[in-house]
Amino acid sequence: VQSMKREPVELFAAILSADGSVFELLDAPAVWVDGRLAELYGIPGVTGDVFRRVVLADRRRGGVLGMAAVLAATSAPNRTSPVVRGAWVLQTLLGQKLPEPPPDAGALPPDAGTKPGVTLREELQRHRREQRCAVCHDKIDPIGFGLENFDAIGRWRTEENGKPIDASGRLPDGTTFDGPAGLKDYLLASGRAAFVRTLTRRLLAYAVGRKLQYFDTPVVDEITSRVLQDGGRARRLFEEIVLSRPFLWQEADEPSGTHTAAPGAD
């Protein structure tokens, strides 16, 4: 577990030190692993507790979508959860707000995903036939299905209960993709601005130590635009945040409109 937790920290530190692109959080050419993670990922030649950078032969890993820490945290105890994984991508990476499920939406049976000859995807498709549930599931589930090649703790697999994994996804707008690499392509093509904006909001809120308010929106928009124009450079994002008005003019979390300059802010 400690190795899983450390991997995203190592990746983020590497991006910052090399002044890389924040988009490497979505699709990186390498992973940072120790012996335990390397064994879990099926990467040969890595032993011991020292984390090291390993260049990947394909795009199934590389970035947060292929990290065991994320994949395990968005799974059920005994199986994957395409719904939770899809919602995590939409909310955490793209900043979308999803409605709460209706109170009578129902749930999958406890043995879901364990029946011989039946995949979890097939059980979910039966479960979401109700139109009021399908409205959200049509947007969430395809993204989660794109990560179904990863089991509940992030190991790669090609079969489930004796049947081949179907990791394809089709979104309501007709967009299709297949597997983690295809999902990354979709996010990098259609979600770049949303991803940078979400990352900006989270880092700015952390930097100023409060929830962002409506009056912070112009600053978030401005930083997002500048970082996108600069190719997503990580250091540019941090520079923009520390030079922003909310950071230089920090105050209590209240939309009063009265600001007191921090010492030296002028």
Side-chain angles (χ1 to χ4, degrees), residues 41-58:
Y41 292 171
I43 297 175
V46 179
T47 58
D49 298 330
V50 176
F51 271 74
R52 66 199 71 183
R53 182 177 184 269
V54 178
V55 177
L56 298 167
D58 55 53

Side-chain angles (χ1 to χ4, degrees), residues 156-175:
W156 184 260
R157 60 181 183 169
T158 57
E159 291 187 352
E160 179 190 11
N161 298 330
K163 299 186 71 172
I165 293 287
D166 180 0
S168 63
R170 183 182 181 87
L171 296 169
D173 65 359
T175 300

Side-chain angles (χ1 to χ4, degrees), residues 246-264:
F247 186 81
L248 295 176
W249 295 56
Q250 294 185 59
E251 60 179 35
D253 183 6
E254 56 182 3
S256 63
T258 58
H259 299 271
T260 302

